[in-house]
């Protein structure tokens, strides 16, 4: 049962807006915040490959934008206000922060600004819907919605006996059946219509104000809209053998308190920055790097399907898997690999007969989405004595994510003659991970 519409709100408190903006110096165009994480490594890799958002346009529907900031003045082509007295201004700074984050990921992308927030911070979902429809008629490739309408979600209709099947359900099907509002509100309708025109629409997953209520947010809840949320980063589970080879490396994303846990794409939290308002523009920026709609949908499917086999894989180091569990892990890993939109090796080519293999070293997007999958499926194959296929996947992981210490270490376990060199890389990339350091000492 869905409750009556609530007031639309920006998805980060104004205190967090001020803290984020205080970390940016317009004069020097530099941040004092730390942009060190797997996501930002992927951003820098894309930039090195020449993917900086050239020829792409992002529509930002928010609180406006400060055009006195040189970086934004250079990037903004259109500023349209849907509220009185809102032209060329951003009295609360929220839209400015969003625009800066998008420009950090896609520095050459052009920006269109749609101001839908009044001076008091209030806004109307129908005004936002109107702005979305306006943006849909432009040549914008991406629409960023760091805002939403919170709604409570009643999950009691889910049969407990069907819970296991529901958890294994395709994510888009689950989203359609259990999250998407029927009939959709005007905000979700407008966002869905924008997706239907081919736009990539990213929306903030939202925050939970009442911990006793299951909450979902419009329009992130809409099936074709990509909901984005921050996650914390759990410790890697690492198992080493007596010869120094790593046997498993899984980094688990951790849900953050106060944030809606249901979303399409996770991104590591920027230190000291909270609120899904600021998670959303990071992947809107990735969309502006040249990501196609079909590619994004396939990446989301692949990430969803890889979660189950990685859990079983990790458990296999504590409890022996049954033959049926081993078989299902192979099948689930292959299903996830099937949906990776780029074929980079012979293992993938077996799943896509007749499809040409493309060079992974030139791929700017797989590192954002499927690095853990290639690392862990490659390792799974090594452990099951499918050495050549395991090496094939791990070599792809090294190419799409050259910053990945886990990819380097696991490939080192497969290539003993190259092990010392690769472990040295792993130690450097992980800032002295003690497991890697110990393995390197034993090898030497």
């Amino acid at each position: 049962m869905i409750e009556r519409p609530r007031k639309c709100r920006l998805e980060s408190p104004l205190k967090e807006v001020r803290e984020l903006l205080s970390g940016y110096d317009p004069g020097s165009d530099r941040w004092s915040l730390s942009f060190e994480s797997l996501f930002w490594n992927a951003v820098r890799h894309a930039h090195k490959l020449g993917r900086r958002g050239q020829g792409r346009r992002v529509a930002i529907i928010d609180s406006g934008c400060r055009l006195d900031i040189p970086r934004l003045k250079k990037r903004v082509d259109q500023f349209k206000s849907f509220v009185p007295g809102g032209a060329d201004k951003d009295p609360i700074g929220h839209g400015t922060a969003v625009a800066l984050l998008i420009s950090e990921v896609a520095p050459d992308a052009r920006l269109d600004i749609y101001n839908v927030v009044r001076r008091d911070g209030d806004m109307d979902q129908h005004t936002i819907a109107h702005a979305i429809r306006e943006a849909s008629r432009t040549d914008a490739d991406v629409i960023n919605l760091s805002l939403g309408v919170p709604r409570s979600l009643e999950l009691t209709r889910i049969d407990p006996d069907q819970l296991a099947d529901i958890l294994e359900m395709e994510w888009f099907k689950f989203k359609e059946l259990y999250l998407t509002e029927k009939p959709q509100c005007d905000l979700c309708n407008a966002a869905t219509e924008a997706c239907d025109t081919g736009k990539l629409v990213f929306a903030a997953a939202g925050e939970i104000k009442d911990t006793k209520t299951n909450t979902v947010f419009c329009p992130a809840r809409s099936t074709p809209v990509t909901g984005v949320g921050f996650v914390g980063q759990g410790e890697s589970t690492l198992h080493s053998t007596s010869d120094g080879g790593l046997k498993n490396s899984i980094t688990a994303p951790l849900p953050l308190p106060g944030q809606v846990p249901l979303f399409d794409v996770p991104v590591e939290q920027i230190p000291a920055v909270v609120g899904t308002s600021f998670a959303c523009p990071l992947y809107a920026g990735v969309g502006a790097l040249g990501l196609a709609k079909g590619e994004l949908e396939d990446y989301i499917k692949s990430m969803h399907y890889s979660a189950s086999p990685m859990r079983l894989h990790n458990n296999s180091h504590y409890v022996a898997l049954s033959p049926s569990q081993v078989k299902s892990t192979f099948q689930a890993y292959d299903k996830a690999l099937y949906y990776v939109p780029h074929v980079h090796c012979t293992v993938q080519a077996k799943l896509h007969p007749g499809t040409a293999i493309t060079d992974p070293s030139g791929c700017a997007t797989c590192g954002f989405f499927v690095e853990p999958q290639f690392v862990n499926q490659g390792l799974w194959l090594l452990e099951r004595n499918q050495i050549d296929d395991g090496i094939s996947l791990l070599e792809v992981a090294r190419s799409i994510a050259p910053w990945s210490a886990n990819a380097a270490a696991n490939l080192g376990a497969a290539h003993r003659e190259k092990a010392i060199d690769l472990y040295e890389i792993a130690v450097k990339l992980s800032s002295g991970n003690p497991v890697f350091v110990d393995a390197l000492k034993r090898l030497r």
Side-chain angles (χ1 to χ4, degrees):
M1 178 178 178
I2 303 296
E3 68 177 13
R4 295 173 67 99
R6 295 181 181 177
K7 181 179 178 182
C8 187
R9 66 175 186 239
L10 300 170
E11 296 312 314
S12 287
L14 295 187
K15 176 184 176 183
E16 302 301 333
V17 173
R18 290 191 292 270
E19 289 182 2
L20 178 59
L21 289 177
S22 69
Y24 175 74
D25 177 35
S28 64
D29 193 26
R30 293 182 180 276
W31 293 89
S32 61
L33 300 176
S34 173
F35 290 147
E36 295 300 326
S37 68
L38 299 179
F39 175 84
W40 291 106
N41 285 336
V43 169
R44 286 185 280 271
H45 180 59
H47 291 177
K48 287 179 181 178
L49 293 174
R51 298 283 283 274
R52 295 169 52 88
Q54 305 95 319
R56 305 283 285 187
R57 183 176 301 279
V58 182
I60 302 174
I61 298 174
D62 211 286
S63 65
C65 177
R66 282 180 50 192
L67 295 183
D68 60 325
I69 295 177
R71 177 196 288 201
L72 298 182
K73 186 176 182 179
K74 293 177 183 177
R75 302 258 66 86
V76 173
D77 286 339
Q78 177 182 221
F79 193 120
K80 190 168 185 178
S81 179
F82 290 80
V83 296
D88 303 336
K89 297 176 183 178
D90 181 10
I92 62 176
H94 191 277
T96 299
V98 166
L100 286 171
L101 289 174
I102 290 174
S103 68
E104 194 69 26
V105 179
D108 292 344
R110 307 305 300 177
L111 306 178
D112 289 340
I113 307 299
Y114 296 79
N115 186 2
V116 294
V117 183
R118 294 192 286 270
R119 290 180 179 275
D120 59 2
D122 202 3
M123 53 186 154
D124 175 77
Q125 60 179 299
H126 298 298
T127 300
I128 298 169
H130 179 50
I132 294 172
R133 292 187 172 99
E134 285 277 316
S136 298
R137 291 190 283 270
T138 72
D139 62 349
D141 306 282
V142 179
I143 297 176
N144 185 89
L145 299 165
S146 290
L147 43 78
V149 179
R151 302 179 189 274
S152 64
L153 177 67
E154 183 59 65
L155 295 175
T156 56
R157 71 178 188 274
I158 296 178
D159 185 344
D161 294 335
Q162 296 178 336
L163 186 58
D165 292 335
I166 290 170
L167 293 176
E168 294 299 322
M169 185 182 294
E170 180 181 336
W171 168 247
F172 286 106
K173 184 176 180 181
F174 173 85
K175 194 175 183 183
E176 172 67 25
L177 290 176
Y178 295 102
L179 299 186
T180 299
E181 187 179 28
K182 297 182 181 66
Q184 291 196 118
C185 68
D186 192 34
L187 186 57
C188 283
N189 272 331
T192 298
E193 291 164 8
C195 293
D196 290 343
T197 68
K199 311 293 186 190
L200 298 181
V201 180
F202 295 87
E207 295 171 290
I208 300 173
K209 300 299 183 182
D210 180 1
T211 57
K212 297 180 181 179
T213 303
N214 292 308
T215 308
V216 292
F217 277 69
C218 298
R221 65 186 297 181
S222 181
T223 302
V225 174
T226 302
V228 187
F230 276 134
V231 292
Q233 201 63 60
E235 293 184 1
S236 296
T237 301
L238 300 169
H239 301 267
S240 60
T241 63
S242 59
D243 66 354
L246 287 184
K247 299 303 292 178
N248 191 241
S249 178
I250 295 178
T251 304
L254 302 175
L256 296 178
Q259 180 185 278
V260 172
L262 298 169
F263 45 82
D264 302 282
V265 178
V267 59
E268 290 174 79
Q269 185 179 18
I270 300 173
V273 176
V274 299
T276 59
S277 274
F278 301 142
C280 183
L282 300 184
Y283 267 96
V286 174
L289 296 178
L291 190 64
K293 190 171 184 289
E295 286 179 308
L296 177 60
E297 291 172 350
D298 283 346
Y299 277 131
I300 293 172
K301 289 178 181 178
S302 184
M303 287 191 297
H304 170 74
Y305 283 126
S306 69
S308 176
M310 283 197 283
R311 283 196 298 269
L312 280 169
H313 183 184
N314 190 47
N315 290 341
S316 71
H317 297 97
Y318 302 99
V319 180
L321 300 182
S322 68
S324 63
Q325 288 176 316
V326 171
K327 181 179 179 180
S328 66
T329 302
F330 269 112
Q331 292 173 338
Y333 262 138
D334 279 348
K335 188 173 186 179
L337 192 64
Y338 174 83
Y339 281 105
V340 175
H342 305 151
V343 176
H344 290 316
C345 66
T346 55
V347 180
Q348 292 175 279
K350 295 174 186 176
L351 303 173
H352 297 276
T355 301
I357 296 174
T358 60
D359 183 1
S361 65
C363 183
T365 54
C366 276
F368 284 100
F369 299 95
V370 291
E371 175 263 347
Q373 181 182 329
F374 277 92
V375 168
N376 288 295
Q377 186 172 359
L379 186 57
W380 169 260
L381 293 174
L382 294 182
E383 293 171 346
R384 302 293 159 176
N385 293 317
Q386 296 188 17
I387 306 301
D388 290 342
D389 283 351
I391 289 175
S392 181
L393 291 183
L394 288 168
E395 287 177 340
V396 172
R398 280 285 295 143
S399 293
I400 64 172
W403 64 85
S404 172
N406 295 333
N410 287 331
L411 189 56
H415 288 298
R416 302 312 304 164
E417 68 276 17
K418 299 180 180 179
I420 290 179
D421 179 55
L422 288 166
Y423 271 112
E424 286 176 345
I425 294 172
V427 169
K428 181 179 179 181
L429 291 172
S430 64
S431 301
N433 183 303
V435 175
F436 300 161
V437 171
D438 184 61
L440 183 58
K441 287 180 180 178
R442 289 199 302 272
L443 288 168
R444 284 174 169 166

